[in-house]
Amino acid sequence: MSTPHAPRAADPRTARTKARLREALLTECGAGRELAEVSVSAVVRRAGVGRATFYLHYEDLPALAVDACADVVHAAVDALHAWQDGPAPLPPVRPPAALAGFLAGAAGHAPLYRTLLLPGGAGPLGERLHRELRARARAERVAVGAPHPDLVASAVAAVFTGVLADWLHGLIPAAGTPQPASPDELADRIWPLLLALHRAGAPAG
């Protein structure tokens, strides 16, 4: 019987190479270009690596894109829970400033995110965002003994992921206009929905 080996630490060279590829892709998509308009050749040229190196780490550009966009998932989770960094024991009535800041940053990479986050919240980025948001919301409800942690966590994750996706695809206009809602307006409109979901199922008092 073979003895199991302890997991090896990540190779720093691999980490640096992947970081360069992620940065190169985001730069290539930074001028409002869709992922379909970017080539592997352009990415590896900007990153200063060979095509063989690219395919050693990623199956294709969408796989690299999901990895490159992982930070947006963490940023979304952190933005929704930024109020917990302050002294307030309960979520505030107004959304934390970090939420509008996150939405403004997401708008800056909207063409790329739209490729990975489809209307309604489908797509690889949507699945990842839903999974991490649900895990965070559920853990918090369990920690404080809030009711229905699984149900409420799923609802919160589904609402935020779906609304973010639809907004990035231009499906949520500003009040009274056909133009997309601004990051500040969307934050103001989605925050009460999320608060209502968090309060759902609370014992009547």
Side-chain angles (χ1 to χ4, degrees):
M1 176 182 286
S2 61
T3 302
H5 296 286
R8 293 187 300 176
D11 183 343
R13 292 172 300 178
T14 296
R16 287 195 296 270
T17 299
K18 294 177 75 172
R20 287 162 62 185
L21 287 168
R22 292 194 298 268
E23 182 179 354
L25 177 67
L26 292 175
T27 301
E28 287 293 319
C29 293
R33 300 171 67 193
E34 302 281 352
L35 184 62
E37 301 176 70
V38 177
S39 67
V40 172
S41 297
V43 170
V44 298
R45 182 167 56 250
R46 183 176 291 276
V49 303
R51 289 179 68 92
T53 299
F54 174 90
Y55 287 110
L56 179 65
H57 300 295
Y58 297 104
E59 179 181 356
D60 50 26
L61 277 179
L64 169 60
V66 171
D67 193 22
C69 293
D71 285 347
V72 77
V73 173
H74 305 317
V77 175
D78 289 343
L80 285 175
H81 299 87
W83 64 272
Q84 294 174 329
D85 296 333
L90 296 173
V93 175
R94 298 283 302 166
L99 179 55
F102 161 75
L103 293 171
H109 285 292
L112 174 59
Y113 296 158
R114 284 195 295 264
T115 303
L116 308 170
L117 182 57
L118 307 180
L125 189 58
E127 293 169 3
R128 187 165 184 168
L129 177 57
H130 183 280
R131 183 170 60 250
E132 294 199 19
L133 278 173
R134 185 185 187 280
R136 178 77 170 265
R138 183 185 185 282
E140 289 174 350
R141 292 186 73 81
V142 169
V144 299
H148 311 301
D150 294 297
L151 175 63
V152 174
S154 290
V156 168
V159 166
F160 184 78
T161 303
V163 168
L164 174 64
D166 287 356
W167 177 66
L168 289 173
H169 283 272
L171 300 178
I172 300 181
T177 79
Q179 300 301 317
S182 70
D184 287 326
E185 182 178 358
L186 184 63
D188 286 341
R189 288 163 67 179
I190 195 173
W191 188 249
L193 297 177
L194 299 176
L195 289 183
L197 290 172
H198 272 295
R199 292 167 180 152

